[in-house]
Protein backbone atom coordinates (compact mmCIF):
# COMPACT_ATOMS: atom_id res chain seq x y z
CA UNK A 1 0.00 0.00 0.00
CA UNK A 2 1.28 3.47 -0.84
CA UNK A 3 2.07 6.12 1.76
CA UNK A 4 -0.94 8.07 0.56
CA UNK A 5 -3.11 4.97 0.98
CA UNK A 6 -1.83 4.33 4.48
CA UNK A 7 -2.45 7.93 5.41
CA UNK A 8 -5.97 7.78 4.05
CA UNK A 9 -6.65 4.56 5.99
CA UNK A 10 -5.40 6.10 9.23
CA UNK A 11 -7.60 9.17 8.72
CA UNK A 12 -10.63 6.97 8.09
CA UNK A 13 -9.92 4.94 11.23
CA UNK A 14 -9.53 8.10 13.29
CA UNK A 15 -12.77 9.48 11.91
CA UNK A 16 -14.60 6.26 12.73
CA UNK A 17 -13.15 6.24 16.27
CA UNK A 18 -14.14 9.87 16.79
CA UNK A 19 -17.62 9.14 15.52
CA UNK A 20 -18.02 6.21 17.88
CA UNK A 21 -17.02 8.41 20.81
CA UNK A 22 -19.10 11.37 19.67
CA UNK A 23 -22.29 9.38 19.12
CA UNK A 24 -22.83 7.29 22.24
CA UNK A 25 -25.94 5.42 23.36
CA UNK A 26 -27.75 7.22 26.16
CA UNK A 27 -27.73 4.81 29.14
CA UNK A 28 -31.14 6.02 30.27
CA UNK A 29 -33.06 6.18 26.99
CA UNK A 30 -31.15 3.82 24.70
CA UNK A 31 -31.06 6.54 22.06
CA UNK A 32 -27.88 7.85 20.39
CA UNK A 33 -26.62 11.16 21.80
CA UNK A 34 -23.79 13.47 20.87
CA UNK A 35 -21.09 13.24 23.56
CA UNK A 36 -17.40 13.96 23.46
CA UNK A 37 -16.39 12.39 26.73
CA UNK A 38 -15.82 8.96 28.19
CA UNK A 39 -17.60 7.88 31.35
CA UNK A 40 -14.31 7.77 33.25
CA UNK A 41 -13.68 11.43 32.40
CA UNK A 42 -17.26 12.24 33.40
CA UNK A 43 -16.60 10.77 36.83
CA UNK A 44 -13.34 12.72 37.15
CA UNK A 45 -15.13 15.98 36.36
CA UNK A 46 -17.83 15.21 38.90
CA UNK A 47 -15.30 14.74 41.69
CA UNK A 48 -13.36 17.86 40.69
CA UNK A 49 -16.46 20.08 40.59
CA UNK A 50 -17.86 18.56 43.79
CA UNK A 51 -14.77 19.80 45.62
CA UNK A 52 -15.42 23.31 44.26
CA UNK A 53 -18.99 23.22 45.52
CA UNK A 54 -17.93 22.11 49.00
CA UNK A 55 -15.23 24.79 49.09
CA UNK A 56 -17.64 27.61 48.32
CA UNK A 57 -21.00 26.54 49.77
CA UNK A 58 -21.86 25.55 53.32
CA UNK A 59 -23.26 22.11 54.01
CA UNK A 60 -25.98 21.72 56.66
CA UNK A 61 -24.25 20.53 59.82
CA UNK A 62 -27.19 18.37 60.90
CA UNK A 63 -25.77 14.91 60.16
CA UNK A 64 -29.10 13.29 60.89
CA UNK A 65 -30.75 15.33 58.15
CA UNK A 66 -27.94 14.61 55.69
CA UNK A 67 -28.20 10.89 56.42
CA UNK A 68 -31.95 10.98 55.84
CA UNK A 69 -31.64 12.75 52.48
CA UNK A 70 -28.89 10.36 51.46
CA UNK A 71 -31.05 7.37 52.40
CA UNK A 72 -33.95 8.61 50.25
CA UNK A 73 -31.61 9.54 47.40
CA UNK A 74 -29.83 6.18 47.38
CA UNK A 75 -33.18 4.41 47.31
CA UNK A 76 -34.18 6.35 44.19
CA UNK A 77 -30.76 5.99 42.55
CA UNK A 78 -30.79 2.23 42.92
CA UNK A 79 -33.84 2.11 40.68
CA UNK A 80 -32.19 4.24 37.99
CA UNK A 81 -30.53 3.30 34.71
CA UNK A 82 -27.08 3.96 36.18
CA UNK A 83 -27.39 2.33 39.56
CA UNK A 84 -23.71 1.37 39.41
CA UNK A 85 -22.60 4.98 39.97
CA UNK A 86 -21.42 6.02 43.42
CA UNK A 87 -24.06 8.66 44.20
CA UNK A 88 -23.53 11.47 46.71
CA UNK A 89 -26.45 13.50 48.09
CA UNK A 90 -25.64 16.78 49.88
CA UNK A 91 -27.85 19.29 51.73
CA UNK A 92 -26.63 22.85 51.13
CA UNK A 93 -27.12 25.36 53.94
CA UNK A 94 -28.87 27.98 51.84
CA UNK A 95 -32.37 29.49 52.09
CA UNK A 96 -32.78 29.56 48.34
CA UNK A 97 -35.21 27.19 46.68
CA UNK A 98 -32.87 25.16 44.56
CA UNK A 99 -31.51 21.73 43.66
CA UNK A 100 -28.96 20.75 41.06
CA UNK A 101 -26.68 17.94 39.96
CA UNK A 102 -23.16 17.46 38.66
CA UNK A 103 -21.99 14.75 36.25
CA UNK A 104 -21.00 11.43 37.73
CA UNK A 105 -23.54 11.10 40.54
CA UNK A 106 -23.44 14.29 42.65
CA UNK A 107 -26.81 15.72 43.73
CA UNK A 108 -27.43 18.83 45.87
CA UNK A 109 -30.60 20.13 47.50
CA UNK A 110 -30.87 23.38 49.42
CA UNK A 111 -32.26 23.60 52.92
CA UNK A 112 -34.57 26.33 51.57
CA UNK A 113 -36.28 23.95 49.15
CA UNK A 114 -36.71 21.24 51.76
CA UNK A 115 -38.72 23.63 53.94
CA UNK A 116 -41.46 23.86 51.30
CA UNK A 117 -41.81 20.12 50.68
CA UNK A 118 -44.63 18.31 52.42
CA UNK A 119 -43.76 14.62 52.19
CA UNK A 120 -40.92 12.20 51.67
CA UNK A 121 -42.41 11.43 48.25
CA UNK A 122 -41.82 15.05 47.22
CA UNK A 123 -38.26 14.93 48.55
CA UNK A 124 -37.72 11.76 46.54
CA UNK A 125 -39.15 13.51 43.45
CA UNK A 126 -36.62 16.34 43.72
CA UNK A 127 -33.74 13.89 44.01
CA UNK A 128 -35.13 11.61 41.29
CA UNK A 129 -35.32 14.48 38.81
CA UNK A 130 -31.69 15.36 39.43
CA UNK A 131 -30.69 11.70 39.14
CA UNK A 132 -32.50 11.75 35.78
CA UNK A 133 -30.20 14.53 34.58
CA UNK A 134 -27.20 12.41 35.59
CA UNK A 135 -28.37 9.15 34.04
CA UNK A 136 -29.27 10.86 30.77
CA UNK A 137 -25.91 12.71 30.78
CA UNK A 138 -27.60 16.04 30.02
CA UNK A 139 -24.62 18.13 31.11
CA UNK A 140 -22.29 16.03 28.96
CA UNK A 141 -24.59 16.46 25.97
CA UNK A 142 -24.67 20.20 26.55
CA UNK A 143 -20.89 20.30 26.68
CA UNK A 144 -20.70 18.38 23.39
CA UNK A 145 -23.01 20.91 21.74
CA UNK A 146 -20.88 23.79 22.94
CA UNK A 147 -23.60 25.18 25.21
CA UNK A 148 -21.86 24.73 28.53
CA UNK A 149 -20.23 28.16 28.37
CA UNK A 150 -23.50 29.89 27.58
CA UNK A 151 -25.08 28.17 30.57
CA UNK A 152 -22.32 29.52 32.78
CA UNK A 153 -22.92 33.00 31.40
CA UNK A 154 -26.50 32.88 32.65
CA UNK A 155 -25.56 31.54 36.07
CA UNK A 156 -27.42 34.42 37.74
CA UNK A 157 -30.69 33.62 36.02
CA UNK A 158 -33.68 31.55 36.99
CA UNK A 159 -32.54 28.28 38.49
CA UNK A 160 -33.52 24.75 38.99
CA UNK A 161 -35.47 23.61 41.84
CA UNK A 162 -36.83 20.24 40.61
CA UNK A 163 -37.14 21.07 36.96
CA UNK A 164 -34.18 23.39 37.04
CA UNK A 165 -35.68 26.80 36.75
CA UNK A 166 -37.48 28.36 39.69
CA UNK A 167 -36.25 30.74 42.35
CA UNK A 168 -32.88 32.45 42.54
CA UNK A 169 -29.41 31.02 42.39
CA UNK A 170 -27.29 31.77 45.42
CA UNK A 171 -24.47 34.22 45.07
CA UNK A 172 -22.14 31.63 46.54
CA UNK A 173 -22.73 29.35 43.57
CA UNK A 174 -22.25 32.22 41.13
CA UNK A 175 -18.70 32.55 42.44
CA UNK A 176 -17.74 28.87 42.30
CA UNK A 177 -16.24 29.30 38.86
CA UNK A 178 -17.65 25.95 37.73
CA UNK A 179 -19.36 25.93 34.35
CA UNK A 180 -20.69 22.45 35.16
CA UNK A 181 -22.50 23.72 38.25
CA UNK A 182 -23.71 26.69 36.20
CA UNK A 183 -25.16 24.30 33.65
CA UNK A 184 -26.91 22.37 36.41
CA UNK A 185 -28.66 25.40 37.84
CA UNK A 186 -29.37 27.18 34.54
CA UNK A 187 -31.31 24.28 33.06
CA UNK A 188 -31.03 22.10 29.99
CA UNK A 189 -34.02 23.18 27.92
CA UNK A 190 -37.57 21.95 27.82
CA UNK A 191 -36.93 18.57 26.19
CA UNK A 192 -34.15 17.61 28.64
CA UNK A 193 -36.16 18.83 31.63
CA UNK A 194 -39.18 16.80 30.52
CA UNK A 195 -36.92 13.80 30.01
CA UNK A 196 -35.54 14.22 33.55
CA UNK A 197 -39.11 14.41 34.87
CA UNK A 198 -40.06 11.28 32.94
CA UNK A 199 -37.02 9.37 34.15
CA UNK A 200 -37.53 10.68 37.66
CA UNK A 201 -41.13 9.48 37.68
CA UNK A 202 -39.92 6.05 36.57
CA UNK A 203 -37.31 5.99 39.34
CA UNK A 204 -39.96 6.98 41.89
CA UNK A 205 -42.10 4.08 40.74
CA UNK A 206 -39.17 1.66 40.98
CA UNK A 207 -38.44 2.85 44.52
CA UNK A 208 -42.07 2.50 45.61
CA UNK A 209 -42.88 6.22 45.70
CA UNK A 210 -45.88 7.83 44.03
CA UNK A 211 -44.79 9.13 40.59
CA UNK A 212 -47.33 11.97 40.83
CA UNK A 213 -45.08 13.53 43.45
CA UNK A 214 -43.16 14.93 40.48
CA UNK A 215 -46.16 17.08 39.55
CA UNK A 216 -46.75 18.00 43.22
CA UNK A 217 -43.23 19.40 43.47
CA UNK A 218 -43.69 21.41 40.29
CA UNK A 219 -46.76 22.94 41.93
CA UNK A 220 -44.60 23.97 44.90
CA UNK A 221 -42.22 25.72 42.52
CA UNK A 222 -44.97 27.30 40.45
CA UNK A 223 -46.54 28.77 43.58
CA UNK A 224 -43.19 30.31 44.49
CA UNK A 225 -42.90 31.75 41.00
CA UNK A 226 -46.42 33.23 41.14
CA UNK A 227 -45.74 34.76 44.54
CA UNK A 228 -42.42 36.32 43.51
CA UNK A 229 -43.98 37.81 40.39
CA UNK A 230 -46.88 39.28 42.38
CA UNK A 231 -44.67 40.71 45.11
CA UNK A 232 -42.30 42.31 42.61
CA UNK A 233 -45.27 43.61 40.55
CA UNK A 234 -43.67 42.50 37.34
CA UNK A 235 -43.86 39.76 34.76
CA UNK A 236 -41.13 37.15 34.30
CA UNK A 237 -38.49 38.46 31.91
CA UNK A 238 -36.37 35.37 31.61
CA UNK A 239 -37.37 32.25 29.68
CA UNK A 240 -37.21 30.12 32.78
CA UNK A 241 -39.00 27.06 34.06
CA UNK A 242 -42.66 27.87 33.66
CA UNK A 243 -42.56 29.45 30.23
CA UNK A 244 -40.97 26.27 28.86
CA UNK A 245 -42.04 23.67 31.40
CA UNK A 246 -45.52 24.44 32.85
CA UNK A 247 -46.95 22.14 35.48
CA UNK A 248 -50.04 21.49 33.32
CA UNK A 249 -47.88 20.44 30.37
CA UNK A 250 -49.69 17.58 28.62
CA UNK A 251 -46.40 15.82 27.90
CA UNK A 252 -45.45 16.03 31.58
CA UNK A 253 -48.79 14.56 32.65
CA UNK A 254 -48.33 11.77 30.12
CA UNK A 255 -44.75 11.09 31.21
CA UNK A 256 -45.85 10.68 34.81
CA UNK A 257 -48.78 8.49 33.77
CA UNK A 258 -46.45 6.30 31.71
CA UNK A 259 -44.39 5.59 34.82
CA UNK A 260 -47.34 3.56 36.05
CA UNK A 261 -49.64 3.44 39.04
CA UNK A 262 -48.40 1.35 41.91
CA UNK A 263 -50.91 -1.02 43.50
CA UNK A 264 -51.89 0.00 46.99
CA UNK A 265 -49.98 -2.88 48.53
CA UNK A 266 -46.77 -1.88 46.70
CA UNK A 267 -46.72 1.83 47.57
CA UNK A 268 -43.99 2.58 50.07
CA UNK A 269 -45.41 3.19 53.52
CA UNK A 270 -43.75 6.57 54.01
CA UNK A 271 -44.22 7.59 57.61
CA UNK A 272 -45.08 11.28 57.45
CA UNK A 273 -43.95 11.61 61.04
CA UNK A 274 -40.40 10.68 59.95
CA UNK A 275 -40.34 13.47 57.38
CA UNK A 276 -41.80 15.96 59.89
CA UNK A 277 -39.23 15.02 62.50
CA UNK A 278 -36.40 15.85 60.12
CA UNK A 279 -37.89 19.17 59.00
CA UNK A 280 -39.07 20.31 62.44
CA UNK A 281 -36.60 22.83 63.85
CA UNK A 282 -34.93 23.53 60.50
CA UNK A 283 -33.67 27.09 60.09
CA UNK A 284 -35.79 29.45 57.99
CA UNK A 285 -33.85 32.07 56.05
CA UNK A 286 -30.16 32.94 55.95
CA UNK A 287 -27.87 31.23 58.45
CA UNK A 288 -26.45 34.28 60.20
CA UNK A 289 -24.95 32.23 63.02
CA UNK A 290 -22.12 31.07 60.74
CA UNK A 291 -19.25 33.50 60.41
CA UNK A 292 -18.91 34.93 56.91
CA UNK A 293 -16.56 37.41 55.35
CA UNK A 294 -19.03 38.23 52.60
CA UNK A 295 -19.74 41.95 52.46
CA UNK A 296 -23.42 41.55 51.56
CA UNK A 297 -25.54 44.68 51.50
CA UNK A 298 -29.35 44.73 51.86
CA UNK A 299 -31.53 47.66 50.74
CA UNK A 300 -34.86 46.79 52.33
CA UNK A 301 -36.69 49.88 51.06
CA UNK A 302 -35.80 49.15 47.44
CA UNK A 303 -35.87 45.37 48.01
CA UNK A 304 -32.50 44.49 46.51
CA UNK A 305 -29.23 43.03 47.74
CA UNK A 306 -25.70 42.62 46.38
CA UNK A 307 -22.23 41.63 47.55
CA UNK A 308 -19.51 44.27 47.64
CA UNK A 309 -15.82 43.35 47.76
CA UNK A 310 -14.55 42.37 51.18
CA UNK A 311 -13.28 45.15 53.47
CA UNK A 312 -14.83 47.93 51.38
CA UNK A 313 -16.53 50.76 53.29
CA UNK A 314 -20.26 51.19 52.68
CA UNK A 315 -22.25 54.42 53.02
CA UNK A 316 -25.91 54.81 52.11
CA UNK A 317 -28.87 57.16 51.76
CA UNK A 318 -32.56 56.33 51.47
CA UNK A 319 -32.25 55.52 47.75
CA UNK A 320 -28.54 54.99 47.04
CA UNK A 321 -25.43 53.23 48.33
CA UNK A 322 -21.71 53.63 47.72
CA UNK A 323 -18.93 51.15 48.51
CA UNK A 324 -15.31 52.37 48.46
CA UNK A 325 -12.07 50.38 48.39
CA UNK A 326 -9.70 50.83 51.37
CA UNK A 327 -7.19 52.76 49.21
CA UNK A 328 -9.91 54.90 47.56
CA UNK A 329 -8.75 53.64 44.17
CA UNK A 330 -12.16 52.24 43.21
CA UNK A 331 -15.80 52.58 44.16
CA UNK A 332 -19.19 51.06 43.35
CA UNK A 333 -22.39 53.06 43.60
CA UNK A 334 -26.03 52.04 43.14
CA UNK A 335 -28.82 54.53 42.44
CA UNK A 336 -32.52 53.88 41.84
CA UNK A 337 -34.42 55.81 39.20
CA UNK A 338 -38.06 55.66 38.19
CA UNK A 339 -38.64 53.65 35.02
CA UNK A 340 -40.99 55.80 32.96
CA UNK A 341 -40.88 54.15 29.53
CA UNK A 342 -40.51 50.70 28.08
CA UNK A 343 -37.14 50.34 26.39
CA UNK A 344 -34.17 48.01 26.47
CA UNK A 345 -31.60 48.61 29.27
CA UNK A 346 -29.02 49.17 26.53
CA UNK A 347 -31.08 52.04 25.15
CA UNK A 348 -31.69 53.39 28.66
CA UNK A 349 -27.93 53.70 29.18
CA UNK A 350 -27.47 55.39 25.83
CA UNK A 351 -30.52 57.67 25.74
CA UNK A 352 -31.34 58.39 29.38
CA UNK A 353 -27.82 58.38 30.80
CA UNK A 354 -26.22 59.87 27.70
CA UNK A 355 -23.52 57.20 27.36
CA UNK A 356 -23.10 56.21 23.72
CA UNK A 357 -19.49 55.03 23.64
CA UNK A 358 -19.74 51.79 25.62
CA UNK A 359 -16.93 49.29 25.17
CA UNK A 360 -17.34 45.56 25.95
CA UNK A 361 -21.09 46.18 25.75
CA UNK A 362 -23.25 43.16 26.62
CA UNK A 363 -26.69 42.20 27.84
CA UNK A 364 -27.08 40.78 31.33
CA UNK A 365 -29.68 38.23 32.39
CA UNK A 366 -29.44 37.39 36.07
CA UNK A 367 -31.96 36.50 38.78
CA UNK A 368 -34.83 37.06 36.32
CA UNK A 369 -33.68 40.64 35.72
CA UNK A 370 -33.07 42.36 32.42
CA UNK A 371 -29.86 44.35 32.33
CA UNK A 372 -27.01 45.71 30.26
CA UNK A 373 -23.43 46.66 31.01
CA UNK A 374 -20.32 48.10 29.41
CA UNK A 375 -17.18 50.14 30.08
CA UNK A 376 -16.62 53.81 29.27
CA UNK A 377 -14.65 56.85 30.41
CA UNK A 378 -16.78 59.04 32.66
CA UNK A 379 -16.82 62.83 32.97
CA UNK A 380 -14.03 62.71 35.55
CA UNK A 381 -11.81 60.91 33.05
CA UNK A 382 -11.89 57.64 34.98
CA UNK A 383 -12.61 54.16 33.69
CA UNK A 384 -16.11 53.12 34.72
CA UNK A 385 -18.17 50.00 34.24
CA UNK A 386 -21.82 50.93 34.17
CA UNK A 387 -24.79 48.59 34.45
CA UNK A 388 -28.54 49.10 34.41
CA UNK A 389 -31.05 46.58 35.77
CA UNK A 390 -34.84 46.67 35.64
CA UNK A 391 -36.47 45.64 38.91
CA UNK A 392 -40.17 46.33 39.38
CA UNK A 393 -41.02 49.95 38.50
CA UNK A 394 -37.41 51.10 38.84
CA UNK A 395 -34.14 50.97 36.98
CA UNK A 396 -31.06 50.51 39.13
CA UNK A 397 -27.92 52.14 37.78
CA UNK A 398 -24.65 50.67 39.04
CA UNK A 399 -21.39 52.55 38.47
CA UNK A 400 -18.12 50.76 39.21
CA UNK A 401 -15.40 53.39 38.90
CA UNK A 402 -11.62 53.01 38.93
CA UNK A 403 -10.22 56.41 39.92
CA UNK A 404 -6.57 55.36 40.28
CA UNK A 405 -5.07 54.68 36.81
CA UNK A 406 -2.35 52.51 38.36
CA UNK A 407 -5.04 50.22 39.77
CA UNK A 408 -6.82 49.75 36.45
CA UNK A 409 -5.87 46.14 35.76
CA UNK A 410 -7.89 43.10 34.74
CA UNK A 411 -8.01 41.73 38.27
CA UNK A 412 -9.73 44.84 39.64
CA UNK A 413 -12.10 45.00 36.68
CA UNK A 414 -13.04 41.36 37.26
CA UNK A 415 -13.68 42.11 40.93
CA UNK A 416 -16.01 45.00 40.08
CA UNK A 417 -17.87 42.98 37.47
CA UNK A 418 -18.26 40.05 39.89
CA UNK A 419 -19.88 42.40 42.40
CA UNK A 420 -22.31 43.71 39.78
CA UNK A 421 -23.24 40.14 38.93
CA UNK A 422 -24.51 39.59 42.50
CA UNK A 423 -27.23 42.29 42.24
CA UNK A 424 -30.64 40.68 42.76
CA UNK A 425 -34.01 41.07 44.52
CA UNK A 426 -34.31 40.16 48.19
CA UNK A 427 -36.23 36.93 48.68
CA UNK A 428 -39.27 36.91 50.91
CA UNK A 429 -37.71 34.65 53.54
CA UNK A 430 -34.12 35.84 53.28
CA UNK A 431 -33.95 38.23 56.21
CA UNK A 432 -36.05 36.16 58.59
CA UNK A 433 -33.19 34.21 60.10
CA UNK A 434 -31.86 37.35 61.71
CA UNK A 435 -34.49 36.61 64.34
CA UNK A 436 -33.54 32.93 64.48
CA UNK A 437 -36.80 31.71 62.99
CA UNK A 438 -37.26 27.98 62.68
CA UNK A 439 -39.97 25.74 61.29
CA UNK A 440 -42.19 24.00 63.81
CA UNK A 441 -45.09 21.61 63.28
CA UNK A 442 -48.46 22.00 64.99
CA UNK A 443 -51.82 20.30 64.52
CA UNK A 444 -54.77 22.28 63.20
CA UNK A 445 -57.72 22.75 65.54
CA UNK A 446 -61.28 23.84 64.88
CA UNK A 447 -61.88 27.42 63.80
CA UNK A 448 -58.47 27.68 62.11
CA UNK A 449 -57.77 30.64 59.82
CA UNK A 450 -54.59 31.67 58.00
CA UNK A 451 -55.31 35.31 58.79
CA UNK A 452 -55.36 34.68 62.53
CA UNK A 453 -52.20 32.56 62.36
CA UNK A 454 -50.44 35.24 60.30
CA UNK A 455 -51.34 37.91 62.83
CA UNK A 456 -49.27 36.05 65.44
CA UNK A 457 -46.41 35.20 63.05
CA UNK A 458 -42.96 36.79 63.59
CA UNK A 459 -42.59 37.14 59.81
CA UNK A 460 -42.78 40.84 59.03
CA UNK A 461 -43.46 40.79 55.29
CA UNK A 462 -46.25 38.73 53.72
CA UNK A 463 -46.77 36.47 56.75
CA UNK A 464 -49.96 34.82 55.47
CA UNK A 465 -48.52 34.18 52.00
CA UNK A 466 -45.35 32.75 53.53
CA UNK A 467 -47.29 30.35 55.75
CA UNK A 468 -49.49 29.27 52.87
CA UNK A 469 -46.45 28.60 50.68
CA UNK A 470 -44.77 26.57 53.41
CA UNK A 471 -47.81 24.34 53.71
CA UNK A 472 -48.93 24.02 50.08
CA UNK A 473 -52.06 26.15 50.44
CA UNK A 474 -51.10 29.05 48.20
CA UNK A 475 -53.03 31.04 47.15
CA UNK A 476 -56.17 29.40 48.59
CA UNK A 477 -57.22 26.47 50.71
CA UNK A 478 -57.57 25.61 54.38
CA UNK A 479 -56.25 22.54 56.25
CA UNK A 480 -58.60 20.23 58.07
CA UNK A 481 -58.64 19.82 61.87
CA UNK A 482 -55.98 17.34 62.96
CA UNK A 483 -53.72 18.07 59.99
CA UNK A 484 -50.09 18.93 60.69
CA UNK A 485 -48.91 22.32 59.40
CA UNK A 486 -45.70 24.31 59.65
CA UNK A 487 -45.42 27.55 61.55
CA UNK A 488 -42.43 29.81 62.22
CA UNK A 489 -41.12 30.54 65.69
Amino acid sequence: MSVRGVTRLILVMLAVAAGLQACAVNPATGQPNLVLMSESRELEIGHEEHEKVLASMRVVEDQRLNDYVNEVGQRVAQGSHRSDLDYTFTVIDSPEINAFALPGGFVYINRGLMLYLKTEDELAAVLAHEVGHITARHAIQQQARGRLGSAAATVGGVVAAVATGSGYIGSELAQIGSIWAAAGVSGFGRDNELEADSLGAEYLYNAGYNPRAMIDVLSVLKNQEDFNVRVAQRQPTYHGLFTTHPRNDVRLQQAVADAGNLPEDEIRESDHAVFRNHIDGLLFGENTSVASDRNRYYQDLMSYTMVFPNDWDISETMTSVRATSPDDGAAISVEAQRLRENKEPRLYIRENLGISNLQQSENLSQYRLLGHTGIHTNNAGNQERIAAFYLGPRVFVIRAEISDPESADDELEDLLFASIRTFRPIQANERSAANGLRVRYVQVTGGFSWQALAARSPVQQYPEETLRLLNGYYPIGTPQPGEWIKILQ
Side-chain angles (χ1 to χ4, degrees):
M1 182 179 295
S2 66
V3 174
R4 179 178 297 179
V6 172
T7 302
R8 183 179 301 169
L9 178 61
I10 293 174
L11 290 175
V12 170
M13 292 175 65
L14 289 174
V16 171
L20 289 175
Q21 182 181 11
C23 190
V25 174
N26 189 308
T29 65
Q31 300 298 315
N33 288 134
L34 177 66
V35 296
L36 300 174
M37 183 182 300
S38 66
E39 183 176 277
S40 60
R41 179 55 185 150
E42 176 186 358
L43 299 179
E44 289 176 1
I45 287 176
H47 282 88
E48 292 168 0
E49 302 309 306
H50 178 61
E51 292 303 316
K52 294 180 183 179
V53 172
L54 296 183
S56 54
M57 303 187 77
R58 293 191 299 263
V59 175
V60 169
E61 295 182 356
D62 186 346
Q63 189 58 47
R64 181 169 163 269
L65 179 63
N66 278 283
D67 290 343
Y68 174 61
V69 171
N70 182 67
E71 177 185 343
V72 175
Q74 297 295 345
R75 188 177 298 141
V76 168
Q78 286 307 304
S80 74
H81 292 90
R82 301 178 73 184
S83 58
D84 57 316
L85 291 180
D86 186 11
Y87 287 89
T88 299
F89 296 88
T90 304
V91 183
I92 300 296
D93 190 7
S94 169
E96 296 168 7
I97 299 169
N98 183 25
F100 64 101
L102 288 174
F106 295 91
V107 176
Y108 309 85
I109 181 171
N110 280 7
R111 165 174 54 82
L113 174 55
M114 292 193 65
L115 291 173
Y116 290 89
L117 303 179
K118 301 182 294 297
T119 64
E120 184 176 300
D121 289 64
E122 291 184 0
L123 171 61
V126 175
L127 304 179
H129 176 94
E130 300 304 330
V131 169
H133 280 308
I134 294 171
T135 60
R137 305 187 80 191
H138 287 154
I140 306 301
Q141 293 179 47
Q142 191 173 72
Q143 180 263 353
R145 297 188 184 102
R147 297 176 182 172
L148 204 62
S150 62
T154 60
V155 68
V158 178
V159 297
V162 170
T164 315
S166 174
Y168 303 105
I169 179 174
S171 297
E172 297 92 343
L173 184 56
Q175 297 185 9
I176 287 179
S178 165
I179 61 174
W180 295 95
V185 298
S186 297
F188 301 103
R190 183 176 186 177
D191 288 341
N192 282 169
E193 296 303 336
L194 182 65
E195 186 172 73
D197 281 335
S198 178
L199 292 170
E202 182 179 348
Y203 302 160
L204 287 175
Y205 180 93
N206 293 341
Y209 292 108
N210 188 347
R212 286 200 60 83
M214 192 67 67
I215 296 177
D216 294 339
V217 171
L218 282 173
S219 295
V220 171
L221 303 176
K222 183 64 170 79
N223 290 339
Q224 289 286 338
E225 180 82 356
D226 292 344
F227 173 66
N228 286 328
V229 169
R230 187 180 71 80
V231 168
Q233 297 181 339
R234 57 190 165 85
Q235 295 300 313
T237 55
Y238 182 86
H239 55 289
L241 171 61
F242 294 106
T243 55
T244 62
H245 195 85
R247 60 180 163 186
N248 60 352
D249 189 311
V250 174
R251 293 194 302 166
L252 172 62
Q253 299 281 344
Q254 186 61 49
V256 171
D258 288 346
N261 293 314
L262 285 169
E264 289 293 331
D265 59 347
E266 293 185 20
I267 295 179
R268 176 174 296 279
E269 292 288 340
S270 297
D271 188 346
H272 295 322
V274 173
F275 181 82
R276 288 197 304 269
N277 288 338
H278 284 91
I279 300 300
D280 190 72
L282 202 56
L283 186 67
F284 180 84
E286 197 75 42
N287 189 351
T288 57
S289 64
V290 179
S292 174
D293 58 355
R294 298 179 58 80
N295 203 8
R296 175 169 290 284
Y297 169 77
Y298 287 94
Q299 222 296 357
D300 294 297
L301 181 63
M302 299 293 174
S303 194
Y304 74 83
T305 178
M306 67 182 296
V307 178
F308 292 117
N310 290 334
D311 301 323
W312 283 32
D313 295 324
I314 299 176
S315 59
E316 60 181 332
T317 69
M318 290 288 290
T319 59
S320 67
V321 62
R322 182 178 177 84
T324 308
S325 64
D327 58 3
D328 294 326
I332 302 175
S333 64
V334 185
E335 180 184 7
Q337 301 179 10
R338 196 72 181 177
L339 186 59
R340 303 184 183 279
E341 53 188 327
N342 186 17
K343 63 174 62 174
E344 297 178 18
R346 174 181 61 85
L347 295 179
Y348 187 92
I349 292 176
R350 186 176 70 186
E351 298 174 2
N352 294 64
L353 302 181
I355 301 173
S356 58
N357 59 338
L358 276 185
Q359 304 297 314
Q360 301 180 33
S361 179
E362 62 178 293
N363 291 325
L364 294 176
S365 179
Q366 60 190 58
Y367 305 97
R368 276 200 288 116
L369 303 178
L370 283 180
H372 194 85
T373 186
I375 296 175
H376 75 117
T377 300
N378 62 19
N379 294 332
N382 297 327
Q383 176 181 314
E384 179 180 84
R385 174 174 285 280
I386 191 163
F389 290 104
Y390 290 173
L391 173 57
R394 301 181 179 90
V395 55
F396 290 84
V397 178
I398 305 178
R399 298 176 182 270
E401 179 183 12
I402 300 177
S403 55
D404 182 3
E406 296 182 358
S407 301
D409 56 16
D410 291 342
E411 185 176 349
L412 180 57
E413 161 57 24
D414 290 345
L415 180 67
L416 298 178
F417 195 16
S419 182
I420 290 174
R421 294 287 284 174
T422 66
F423 180 90
R424 64 170 172 80
I426 297 175
Q427 289 184 255
N429 67 339
E430 190 168 0
R431 303 303 304 277
S432 301
N435 298 322
L437 295 185
R438 294 184 179 273
V439 166
R440 300 295 180 186
Y441 277 92
V442 297
Q443 280 186 293
V444 173
T445 58
F448 172 86
S449 80
W450 290 112
Q451 186 176 14
L453 183 63
R456 303 191 302 271
S457 173
V459 177
Q460 297 180 356
Q461 293 184 317
Y462 307 104
E464 181 174 338
E465 291 86 345
T466 300
L467 289 168
R468 284 181 173 275
L469 287 167
L470 279 172
N471 290 284
Y473 284 101
Y474 181 88
I476 59 174
T478 303
Q480 297 298 311
E483 183 177 334
W484 289 92
I485 63 169
K486 305 166 195 163
I487 63 172
L488 294 170
Q489 289 183 339

